[in-house]
Amino acid sequence: MSAIADNLQAVQARIAKAAAAAGRSPESVRLLAVSKTWPLASVIEAADAGQRAFGENYVQEGIDKIAAISGRNLEWHFIGPLQSNKSRPVAERFDWVHSIDRLKIAERLSAQRPAYLPPLQVCVQVNVSGEASKSGCAPDDTLALCRAVAALPGLQLRGLMAIPELSDDPAAQRAPFRQVREIFDHIRAAGLPLDTLSMGMSHDLEAAVAEGATIVRIGTAIFGERNYR
Ligand SMILES: *Cc1c(COP(=O)(O)O)cnc(C)c1O
């Protein structure tokens, strides 16, 4: 087996163990392979090992890979910050966007989503306490943003995404994930049919699964340490 295939298997085992510990089935957690900064060959290696869903942070890098590997029935998730002037290729090429943090970007993506494609699957990014990234909607504004996004015809609102601060302490890791899940429960109780909690990365997937993650976004544990140039 290739190194990437080995790593995928190891990550799936971590997911299964964390799910079992939480009394959840392993199939309730999807693995999104975050291939940002890695070449097409790495994506192909992972796809050959059976990985189907890939996450990208940078628009040009993502659409280049999608164009180069079309025909393999992969699923592409945009997970990075998105500027308004770069929304069109994302609306036209990606299957999911996890980083909706304001209505304006959602409206543009909806208007730019081609009618011949299914609606773009989207998550609203929430900025919970200790958020590493500055982007994301404030917790108190999340329900209103979700209601507005759910009404847009080119989008299908699926759930929430978060990127909490790095921490080595498992208890400290769980607190922000729990906060996101409570916001998620609150929005569902308000009548929006959310089914996706996108949270957990290489260092904290166990804590995220314990708090209900349904998609974990894993880069380093699959592909290795990134080298930003
Ligand atoms: C890079 C990135 C990941 C993957 O992080 P790893 O620590 O390499 O697993 C997940 N989510 C987002 C939004 C990212 O930008």
Side-chain angles (χ1 to χ4, degrees):
M1 273 204 306
S2 74
I4 287 175
D6 279 338
N7 292 344
L8 279 166
Q9 220 170 62
V11 169
Q12 291 288 9
R14 281 176 65 189
I15 292 171
K17 192 172 169 201
R24 304 179 53 197
S25 86
E27 297 82 47
S28 66
V29 185
R30 275 193 88 193
L31 173 55
L32 180 65
V34 178
S35 47
K36 67 178 178 212
T37 78
W38 293 100
L40 192 62
S42 302
V43 174
I44 291 171
E45 213 175 308
D48 285 344
Q51 179 62 31
R52 177 139 188 276
F54 291 86
E56 289 285 337
N57 283 57
Y58 310 104
V59 175
Q60 192 59 47
E61 180 187 348
I63 60 174
D64 286 349
K65 284 179 191 163
I66 293 168
I69 200 176
S70 65
R72 285 202 61 156
N73 195 30
L74 302 179
E75 192 180 279
W76 292 93
H77 296 231
F78 189 81
I79 62 174
L82 185 51
Q83 292 168 348
S84 291
N85 62 353
K86 295 198 177 145
S87 62
R88 183 176 292 280
V90 172
E92 291 177 349
R93 305 284 174 202
F94 279 83
D95 303 295
W96 283 67
V97 174
H98 293 224
S99 43
I100 301 287
D101 59 356
R102 58 202 190 279
L103 185 56
K104 184 180 169 211
I105 198 78
E107 286 171 341
R108 286 181 68 95
L109 289 167
S110 176
Q112 292 167 342
R113 181 67 169 174
Y116 60 84
L117 291 176
L120 191 61
Q121 309 295 298
V122 301
C123 292
V124 164
Q125 182 176 352
V126 188
N127 192 326
V128 288
S129 56
E131 189 86 353
S133 123
K134 293 283 166 281
S135 38
C137 172
D140 285 348
D141 299 336
T142 307
L143 175 59
L145 179 57
C146 283
R147 281 208 169 103
V149 170
L152 295 171
L155 308 184
Q156 182 174 1
L157 178 65
R158 297 294 297 271
L160 303 180
M161 183 271 241
I163 316 173
E165 198 83 58
L166 292 183
S167 163
D168 291 332
D169 170 25
Q173 285 177 357
R174 279 182 67 158
F177 291 137
R178 184 172 318 128
Q179 200 189 339
V180 181
R181 202 230 315 141
E182 284 167 2
I183 297 167
F184 175 83
D185 290 342
H186 173 66
I187 294 169
R188 278 167 53 96
L192 293 177
L194 307 188
D195 65 5
T196 299
L197 267 176
S198 166
M199 55 189 200
M201 311 192 345
S202 292
H203 64 283
D204 59 9
L205 79 85
E206 284 82 3
V209 169
E211 294 296 344
T214 67
I215 297 181
V216 291
R217 307 179 311 268
I218 310 297
T220 308
I222 297 171
F223 298 107
E225 293 289 343
R226 281 180 296 278
N227 189 356
Y228 292 97
R229 279 167 305 264

